[in-house]
Amino acid sequence: MQVESRIERIEETQPERAAGSFRCPIEDLLDDLHERLGRLDDGGLPTYIPELADVDPSLFGIAVATVDGAVYEAGDSRVGFTLQSVSKPLTYALALDVLGAEAVGTRIGVEPSGDAFNSIALAPETGIPSNAMVNAGAIAASSLVAGAAPFAAVLDAYGGFAGRGLEVDEAVFESERATGHRNRAIAHLLRTFGVIGDPDVAVERYFRQCAVLVDCRDLALVGATLANGGVHPLTGAAAVRPEVVRQVLSVMASCGMYDGAGAWMSAVGLPAKSGVSGGILAVLPGRLAVACYSPLLDGHGNSVRGAAVCRELSERFGLHLVRPGERQASPIRSAVDLTAVRSKRVRTLEEREALAELGSRAVVVELQGDLGFEAVEQLNRLVRAAGRLEALVLDLGRVARIDPGGHVLLGELVASLRDAAVDVRLAGLGTVPDGASLTASLGGASSTDLAVEACETTLVERAGIGTPVTETELAEHPFLARLTELDRAAVIRHLVPRRYAAGATIARQGARADDLFVVTRGLVNVVDDSEPDAPRRAATVPAGGVFGEIGIALGGRRTATVLADTDVDVHVLDRRGLAALRQGHPRAYAAVLEELLTGLALTATRLDREVAALTAG
Ligand code: DON
């Protein structure tokens, strides 16, 4: 019950207080921060916007949201406050998204100014605002967006970041409109230098966006959306494009905390934005966001308690963007050769012997994480160290991202290996973002298993073994070949021949399993289709092979469906036939058991080796 309620809680991302003895350490942590840092009472309320001077200075809320949409809260996390300057990165994002970085770049720079947020100045070299985080740049961004969209669209876009519809606090808006002469001066300066059009329209829009109401939970989700490349973790909707997010977070990192930005970046190390109402948002890209609200401000206009929360979380949990000496997980998850792993295709004795001898010349490499410079560099080293290589399978199913440079570099490595007659096969790209473009340029198998099978075939062919048998006489079938003539004849008397056309179902998953199938013509596929959308090949058995060993040994239900891949001839021994053989011809019965045992032992050995190879080191 408790487990269930936890799961629901994560799904709803509405952390209620933990029930009974099961406490949540994250909530405890935030409660503790709230309790201790709530005792800080330095700083003061802003007085230049009268409505903001009129709030309870003891208010203090904290929320943390992850990129997968869990939200943890403490204190006054549901008390509303106006965004003020925290709106600046959002409008800047909107301007970049709608007008593009180039057009925006002609009006707003990306350099830290080192000045206070409300400085009445433009960058001397360019004549445009230094960046979009100071008021001059933010008013310019509001003006740019005003030329392209009504304010309702801005509010909608903000709602896209928060994941719910937002509103303007009219009282705060009016309060700033009545007193915001300094911002009007900035707007007129911008007008004088031709950065914006109508200064009144620009400040009106700017005051309105500053007065948008949020709470800490909203703000944490705004941050999680930025951390998540612009996609809201709960709604799944894209608020802006990932390139926009990169630029916005970069400018937040260098300019978000105004004249305290350098100290903030070196101590806390998170792109952040503060607002004069006491809100603060810090974003750790790809991971999480921290949002706080506490109205007492330091000399730079940043919330004293909010900044302290961010600083402590960053220090204690190593959230700083710069992580000296830290290494990423290896991009190579595993690398095993074909002496250790095999496809699900049942091979003849001759083929098995060839693979045992030559298997070390074919390697299956599983890559993970980013497919970029390091992945290709390590792969390159691995194939060079492998010595003589005939075949290479690259399983990319766990690659999270393919970067364009990595794509090119991998293409070059694959081309050079193929030039050197190495059979290179890619697999697992179906679920990888942008995997289709790699499949288009380098080819790709639908599964690693099929790629491994193809490489086995390459090795077998290069070993000079002819095309595999598609037909065998029953008497010469390997399953019976080692029996004496008398025993063989006794067994054959209990075998019932059956014929299937290509595509026919030979046995169905879930049906009773008590037959052993001896294949004398064609090819059958054993498919686990318990997940109909992702059928998985359990084995491919050619003429000369058998299947159903587990069924005849244990009875029960079939765990896989068996399909005729080509026209197929099989000879079936059922449990009744086996019992009759035991009765009438114990020696033949013992010989059959011995064959079954050998087959099962070979399978067990292969699986054992595979597990050991894949879990090693
Ligand atoms: O323009 C102003 O002065 C306010 N509407 C916003 C300034 C602000 O939030 C500065 N941040 N700490």
Side-chain angles (χ1 to χ4, degrees), residues 218-562:
D218 294 326
L219 197 54
L221 282 165
V222 167
T225 301
L226 289 168
N228 196 33
V231 175
H232 192 283
L234 298 177
T235 66
V240 283
R241 288 174 284 119
E243 314 85 89
V244 168
V245 172
R246 186 169 73 178
Q247 174 140 356
V248 169
L249 289 178
S250 304
V251 174
M252 281 168 72
S254 54
C255 317
M257 302 301 270
Y258 309 117
D259 37 343
W264 176 271
M265 198 54 203
S266 61
V268 183
L270 295 171
K273 190 70 212 77
S274 61
V276 79
S277 58
I280 187 164
L281 172 63
V283 179
L284 179 53
R287 293 169 61 189
L288 52 82
V290 181
C292 296
Y293 168 54
S294 173
L296 292 172
L297 306 180
D298 66 16
H300 304 294
N302 302 327
S303 165
V304 172
R305 293 174 188 164
V309 169
C310 296
R311 195 173 305 118
E312 184 168 332
L313 283 174
S314 172
E315 273 168 15
R316 281 175 63 181
F317 297 100
L319 306 184
H320 200 296
L321 280 188
V322 180
R323 306 165 71 120
E326 185 190 82
R327 286 188 164 208
Q328 294 285 314
S330 167
I332 293 180
R333 186 166 193 263
S334 66
V336 286
D337 68 31
L338 289 199
T339 60
V341 289
R342 286 290 159 74
S343 75
K344 298 287 189 272
R345 186 188 180 111
V346 173
R347 295 287 178 181
T348 62
L349 181 63
E350 204 184 10
E351 290 173 329
R352 286 204 303 272
E353 283 170 359
L355 289 172
E357 198 184 318
L358 301 175
S360 62
R361 295 188 195 167
V363 181
V364 182
V365 179
E366 191 184 6
L367 293 164
Q368 64 184 359
D370 279 6
L371 179 57
F373 176 83
E374 287 124 300
V376 183
E377 186 276 329
Q378 287 196 23
L379 188 59
N380 180 58
R381 248 189 294 164
L382 184 143
V383 296
R384 259 146 239 286
R388 182 166 168 193
L389 209 57
E390 305 278 351
L392 174 68
V393 173
L394 297 177
D395 176 353
L396 302 164
R398 285 175 195 265
V399 165
R401 198 178 68 90
I402 301 171
D403 67 42
H407 183 144
V408 173
L409 219 50
L410 181 69
E412 282 165 9
L413 177 63
V414 169
S416 100
L417 287 167
R418 285 179 177 160
D419 282 349
V422 179
D423 181 6
V424 184
R425 311 226 170 210
L426 277 61
L429 280 162
T431 53
V432 176
D434 244 8
S437 66
L438 207 55
T439 307
S441 60
L442 301 176
S446 57
S447 73
T448 307
D449 183 39
L450 289 174
V452 172
E453 177 182 343
C455 288
E456 285 170 0
T457 303
T458 299
L459 284 185
V460 165
E461 281 172 6
R462 290 186 187 174
I465 294 170
T467 41
V469 208
T470 57
E471 194 158 4
T472 169
E473 288 298 323
L474 184 56
E476 281 158 20
H477 191 287
F479 187 69
L480 301 172
R482 278 188 292 259
L483 273 60
T484 66
E485 215 160 306
L486 261 178
D487 291 346
R488 192 179 311 126
V491 176
I492 287 174
R493 274 199 296 283
H494 293 286
L495 290 176
V496 181
R498 279 195 218 154
R499 175 159 285 191
Y500 296 92
T505 302
I506 302 175
R508 206 175 285 283
Q509 188 154 6
R512 282 191 60 82
D514 41 24
D515 300 326
L516 176 79
F517 294 81
V518 178
V519 188
T520 53
R521 185 170 70 100
L523 203 65
V524 308
N525 278 320
V526 185
V527 181
D528 175 358
D529 52 9
S530 40
E531 279 179 51
D533 294 340
R536 198 181 54 81
R537 173 167 81 153
T540 288
V541 186
V546 296
F547 63 90
E549 299 99 314
I550 298 178
I552 199 163
L554 298 177
R557 301 276 160 193
R558 290 232 175 268
T559 55
T561 293
V562 185

Side-chain angles (χ1 to χ4, degrees), residues 479 552 578 587-600:
F479 187 69
I552 199 163
L578 189 66
R587 222 183 51 194
Y589 172 76
V592 163
L593 291 193
E594 208 171 299
E595 282 301 325
L596 284 175
L597 191 61
T598 308
L600 289 170

Side-chain angles (χ1 to χ4, degrees), residues 68-143:
D68 53 359
V71 186
Y72 299 91
E73 303 171 52
D76 303 311
S77 59
R78 300 295 174 104
V79 171
F81 57 94
T82 54
L83 280 170
Q84 298 303 329
S85 286
V86 187
S87 67
K88 291 169 177 172
L90 305 188
T91 296
Y92 184 46
L94 206 55
L96 290 166
D97 207 44
V98 174
L99 305 167
E102 218 177 287
V104 174
T106 62
R107 304 295 171 93
I108 306 166
V110 289
E111 296 300 335
S113 67
D115 291 337
F117 69 88
N118 55 2
S119 122
I120 307 181
L122 302 176
E125 328 74 59
T126 57
I128 60 173
S130 310
N131 63 72
M133 301 297 121
V134 290
N135 289 12
I139 292 169
S142 303
S143 169

